[in-house]
Amino acid sequence: MARKVSSATKRLASSALASAMLLGAGTAMAQNLDLDKAVSTAGKWMAQADAGKADAMWKASSPTMQKSVTQDNWSKYITSLRGAVGNESERNWIGVNKIDNPKDLPAGQYLNVIYATKFAKAMAVETVSLAKGSSGWQPIGYIVRDANPKAPAASNGNAAPSAPAAQPPGK
């Protein structure tokens, strides 16, 4: 037997469905805004590398990174890295990888923001790894890989794109 549904009930159900859809959209929009902040943070951090401000990069990094590498070693790492590839002339954001609770790092949310970059001496893939902290996304690592490797990549200590970027060797 068919049940008759009042128009008030239909309006209420329709309103509830619309509200649920809007809440879902709000969550998606909030996630996009959070990703925008992460990409912006990564871009500002790389701009410091472009300007030769390794010390400022280190100071802006997460406490986890600061505990894993000294400011002096970070400066040497960035200077050496940038000496090998030259000045940045073009950078294009190409993707973001999300990682939850990666091995060997404190539990939490992490992102890798990945760029295709043209340097004076090389085409490269830059990866800035970020950790979600109480004040937002904080850089935790930075690596640059040759975009055109001549041979299959052997394990060289750098993390894969789906894991937070490796830190420079030494403390």
Side-chain angles (χ1 to χ4, degrees), residues 52-137:
K53 297 181 178 180
D55 289 341
M57 290 177 78
W58 187 86
K59 288 175 184 173
S61 68
S62 74
T64 300
M65 184 182 129
Q66 291 176 354
K67 289 176 189 170
S68 72
V69 62
T70 66
Q71 187 171 351
D72 186 53
N73 281 348
W74 182 256
S75 183
K76 288 175 186 174
Y77 170 71
I78 295 299
T79 300
S80 172
L81 182 64
R82 289 311 184 94
V85 296
N87 292 329
E88 175 268 338
S89 62
E90 183 179 341
R91 177 178 287 128
N92 294 295
W93 172 74
I94 57 173
V96 175
N97 290 336
K98 181 180 180 236
I99 304 99
D100 290 322
N101 305 316
K103 183 179 176 187
D104 299 328
L105 287 172
Q109 295 179 345
Y110 295 82
L111 291 177
N112 286 330
V113 183
I114 305 163
Y115 298 83
T117 306
K118 182 177 180 181
F119 290 99
K121 300 177 187 177
M123 288 296 296
V125 176
E126 291 179 291
T127 302
V128 175
S129 295
L130 304 165
K132 182 74 175 206
S134 59
S135 62
W137 292 104

Side-chain angles (χ1 to χ4, degrees), residues 132-150:
K132 182 74 175 206
S134 59
S135 62
W137 292 104
Q138 290 185 292
I140 192 169
Y142 172 62
I143 56 173
V144 177
R145 290 190 273 275
D146 187 348
N148 303 308
K150 292 162 185 57

Side-chain angles (χ1 to χ4, degrees), residues 33-68:
L33 290 174
D34 197 45
L35 286 177
D36 288 345
K37 288 177 186 176
V39 171
S40 175
T41 297
K44 289 175 185 173
W45 207 52
M46 285 188 307
Q48 291 175 327
D50 296 340
K53 297 181 178 180
D55 289 341
M57 290 177 78
W58 187 86
K59 288 175 184 173
S61 68
S62 74
T64 300
M65 184 182 129
Q66 291 176 354
K67 289 176 189 170
S68 72

